[in-house]
């Protein structure tokens, strides 16, 4: 690890402000990117990375992305905050990682290059599968360059190329992740739109069943979320809540239909057996009961209305 990077890690450990001491955001961004590449190469050389180290590395990668955004926005306080968070994660990995075992350095580099090349190919397949237009030319060139450097015995240069491959690959992964989140958000919005009509029917049912105004208001608020939100988590949580409310409304509605049907069945049973419409009334009551038992509430309610109309005409 070079002197500048070691000093940066030490400064991070001591909580020293770097943004003011260095020449602006560019320097701390370069330091963090260099650390990211070296830590990535270090983890890559381990073969199997412990979960806690992988989690630290992912956290550092996220903070590095936030550092880039803060630097681009000219926000020194945010840049320094994300820099220290990223470097803290990298420092903890560096301290926890075991020292490399002595062995053939060229063989180690060959293995690292092979894993890096496979990872680049995997990113390429993911990008192609989702129609992402990403230029892998720089990465492919670095993979080829690292191979030549290893073959020529220039191990230090090869390690630098591998670190750059890891850094660029992390950038590609970050972009693919963001695009994936965007696609997920689009799917959530479309999913929400499909529920709007159902929600309108739920509100009508809740009002008809005499639900309190507070619940009606909550349902209308939920409709506003589905209509205007693009937050995947918020949409999913809202829909899950609506599904639970829908079950309650359906249960209440089924109970009311059942109670109403009990009354109408008694009225139908009271019709004289020799009446021309007696059998028809009983059949209508039976159809309503079958629909209710099957959970077909709309059909049961429709049959119930027909039965009520028939009985009213008979008794009138």
């Amino acid at each position: 690890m070079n002197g500048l990077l070691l000093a940066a890690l030490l400064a991070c450990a001591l909580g020293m402000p770097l943004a003011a001491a260095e020449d602006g955001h560019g320097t701390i961004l370069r330091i963090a990117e260099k650390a990211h590449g070296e830590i990535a190469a270090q983890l890559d050389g381990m073969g199997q990375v412990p979960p806690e180290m992988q989690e630290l590395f992912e956290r550092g990668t996220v903070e590095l992305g936030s550092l880039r955004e803060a630097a681009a926005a000219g926000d020194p306080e945010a840049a320094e905050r994300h820099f220290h968070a990223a470097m803290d994660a990298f420092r903890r990995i560096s301290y926890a990682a075991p020292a490399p075992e002595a062995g053939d350095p060229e063989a180690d580099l060959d293995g690292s290059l092979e894993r890096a090349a496979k990872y680049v190919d995997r990113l390429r397949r993911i990008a192609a599968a989702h129609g992402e237009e990403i230029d892998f030319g720089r990465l492919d060139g670095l993979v080829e360059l690292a191979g030549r450097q290893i073959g020529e015995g220039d191990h230090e240069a090869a390690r630098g190329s591998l670190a750059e491959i890891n850094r660029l690959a992390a950038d590609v992964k970050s972009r693919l992740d963001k695009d994936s989140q965007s696609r997920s958000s689009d799917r959530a919005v479309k999913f929400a739109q499909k529920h709007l009509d159902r929600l309108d029917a739920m509100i009508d049912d809740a009002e008809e069943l005499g639900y309190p105004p507070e619940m009606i208001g909550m349902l209308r608020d939920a409709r506003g979320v589905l209509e205007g939100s693009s937050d995947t988590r918020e949409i999913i949580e809202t829909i899950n809540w609506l599904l639970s409310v829908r079950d309650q409304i359906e249960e209440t509605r089924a109970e009311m239909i059942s109670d109403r049907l009990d009354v109408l069945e008694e009225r139908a049973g009271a019709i004289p057996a020799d009446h021309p419409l007696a059998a028809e009334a009983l059949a209508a009551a039976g159809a309503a009961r079958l629909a209710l038992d099957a959970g077909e509430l709309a059909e049961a309610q429709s049959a119930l209305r027909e039965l009520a109309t028939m009985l009213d005409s008979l008794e009138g």
Side-chain angles (χ1 to χ4, degrees):
M1 190 172 291
N2 64 37
L4 178 60
L5 183 54
L6 182 59
L9 287 171
L10 180 59
C12 178
L14 297 176
M16 295 168 56
L18 281 175
E22 303 291 348
D23 59 342
H25 308 137
T27 298
I28 63 173
L29 180 57
R30 287 193 297 273
I31 291 173
E33 288 177 338
K34 177 70 173 175
H36 181 272
E38 292 194 8
I39 293 298
Q42 186 177 7
L43 295 180
D44 188 57
M46 291 173 59
Q48 186 171 1
V49 180
E52 59 273 15
M53 284 191 187
Q54 183 63 39
E55 182 179 347
L56 281 170
F57 182 70
E58 291 174 357
R59 186 190 311 168
T61 301
V62 170
E63 293 293 345
L64 175 58
S66 299
L67 168 58
R68 291 193 186 103
E69 294 175 359
D75 187 342
E77 292 183 0
E80 185 169 330
R81 183 172 66 253
H82 292 302
F83 171 80
H84 279 290
M87 296 302 285
D88 178 64
F90 299 149
R91 173 183 59 82
R92 291 167 65 184
I93 294 172
S94 181
Y95 288 169
E101 298 179 0
D104 182 356
E106 185 171 333
D108 292 341
L109 288 172
D110 280 334
S112 295
L113 178 59
E114 181 180 359
R115 287 189 291 272
K118 287 181 178 178
Y119 185 55
V120 170
D121 285 339
R122 180 182 166 217
L123 292 175
R124 194 193 324 272
R125 289 194 298 271
I126 293 173
H130 294 289
E132 300 286 351
E133 295 184 0
I134 296 178
D135 185 2
F136 284 86
R138 173 70 175 151
L139 277 166
D140 291 337
L142 282 168
V143 170
E144 184 178 345
L145 174 61
R148 287 201 307 271
Q149 291 167 335
I150 293 172
E152 294 168 358
D154 193 349
H155 298 161
E156 188 63 29
R159 290 190 183 91
S161 296
L162 283 168
E164 182 68 4
I165 291 170
N166 286 321
R167 185 186 70 79
L168 292 177
D171 288 345
V172 171
K173 177 67 164 55
S174 177
R175 175 178 167 180
L176 290 173
D177 287 345
K178 287 182 180 179
D179 290 342
S180 176
Q181 291 173 1
S182 177
R183 288 192 299 272
S184 177
S185 177
D186 290 343
R187 287 194 297 269
V189 170
K190 291 179 181 177
F191 186 55
Q193 294 300 317
K194 291 180 180 179
H195 278 74
L196 287 176
D197 290 341
R198 299 176 188 174
L199 180 52
D200 288 337
M202 282 177 59
I203 293 173
D204 291 341
D205 286 342
E207 290 177 333
E208 182 181 342
L209 295 171
Y211 271 68
E214 293 80 7
M215 175 59 75
I216 305 299
M218 291 172 66
L219 289 171
R220 295 192 187 282
D221 289 343
R223 193 190 195 289
V225 170
L226 295 187
E227 196 169 30
S229 178
S230 60
D231 186 318
T232 303
R233 177 174 295 182
E234 184 180 32
I235 290 173
I236 291 174
E237 288 178 351
T238 300
I239 289 176
N240 285 337
W241 177 76
L242 287 172
L243 290 176
S244 67
V245 174
R246 183 197 64 184
D247 291 341
Q248 296 173 19
I249 291 176
E250 292 289 288
E251 185 176 343
T252 302
R253 189 178 170 198
E255 290 174 355
M256 292 184 68
I257 292 174
S258 180
D259 291 343
R260 178 63 175 157
L261 183 55
D262 288 342
V263 173
L264 293 180
E265 283 177 331
E266 286 187 16
R267 290 172 60 188
I271 299 174
D274 58 352
H275 193 287
L277 295 179
E280 186 176 345
L282 290 174
R289 180 65 67 181
L290 286 174
L292 178 61
D293 292 343
E296 300 292 342
L297 300 187
E299 184 177 339
Q301 202 159 23
S302 176
L304 207 63
R305 283 194 291 267
E306 292 180 7
L307 176 59
T309 301
M310 182 186 304
L311 293 174
D312 289 343
S313 65
L314 289 174
E315 295 169 353

